[in-house]
Amino acid sequence: MAYIGYDPGLRPSSGRTRPRPAGARVAWERLALLAVSTLAWFGIIAAIRAIF
């Protein structure tokens, strides 16, 4: 019966792993910008309705 354990040769070292693609960061920035823009519009509409 063979022992199956951790083999450090199976995974590349942390310096050789691929970083997250730049497109993922841009997607989160766009999503955050959309959320901020939507909240700003709701705030503007609420302020106008409160005044009139």
Side-chain angles (χ1 to χ4, degrees), residues 6 8 11-19:
Y6 175 72
R11 287 188 73 207
S13 64
S14 61
R16 290 179 19 196
T17 57
R18 290 183 298 163

Side-chain angles (χ1 to χ4, degrees), residues 29-51:
E29 289 175 357
R30 284 186 183 173
L31 187 62
L33 182 65
L34 179 66
V36 169
S37 177
T38 304
L39 287 174
W41 274 110
F42 279 127
I44 291 169
I45 293 170
I48 291 172
R49 290 182 69 177
I51 292 171

